[in-house]
Amino acid sequence: APLPSFSMELGMKFEVQLENDHVIQPDQICVRVLGKGVSGKELSSKYGRRDDPEYITELGNSLASLCTHIPAGVLLFFPSYSSM
């Protein structure tokens, strides 16, 4: 955890700090960037495309397809709340 830099940015010292090991092991992580969706259309979340129904549909269909092939579930990260 970036506690030292967070403390420095806030300009205050934390008297008590608790840091634990991560619960996810390195062999449980698979990071990928998808440039194209399941039907071959571009997956780009640049600002101008975020409201494009074609992009939203392609992203949704691609994620649904991936989730059916990945055992034990997935964890997704989006660049912002509005892009979810």
Side-chain angles (χ1 to χ4, degrees), residues 11-30:
M12 61 188 304
K13 183 179 178 188
F14 299 114
E15 297 299 325
V16 178
Q17 295 184 21
L18 174 64
E19 295 184 50
N20 293 314
D21 293 333
H22 205 287
V23 297
I24 300 173
Q25 301 303 314
D27 65 331
Q28 295 174 299
I29 298 172
C30 178

Side-chain angles (χ1 to χ4, degrees), residues 15-78:
E15 297 299 325
V16 178
Q17 295 184 21
L18 174 64
E19 295 184 50
N20 293 314
D21 293 333
H22 205 287
V23 297
I24 300 173
Q25 301 303 314
D27 65 331
Q28 295 174 299
I29 298 172
C30 178
V31 177
R32 297 289 183 264
V33 175
L34 304 176
K36 292 184 179 181
V38 290
S39 66
K41 295 177 183 162
E42 179 187 23
L43 286 178
S44 171
S45 65
K46 57 187 169 186
Y47 186 76
R49 292 207 58 208
R50 290 184 184 168
D51 293 327
D52 181 355
E54 184 177 274
Y55 162 72
I56 294 169
T57 300
E58 187 71 3
L59 179 61
N61 289 338
S62 299
L63 294 176
S65 177
L66 282 171
C67 290
T68 63
H69 293 93
I70 300 173
V74 299
L75 176 62
L76 299 170
F77 292 92
F78 290 86

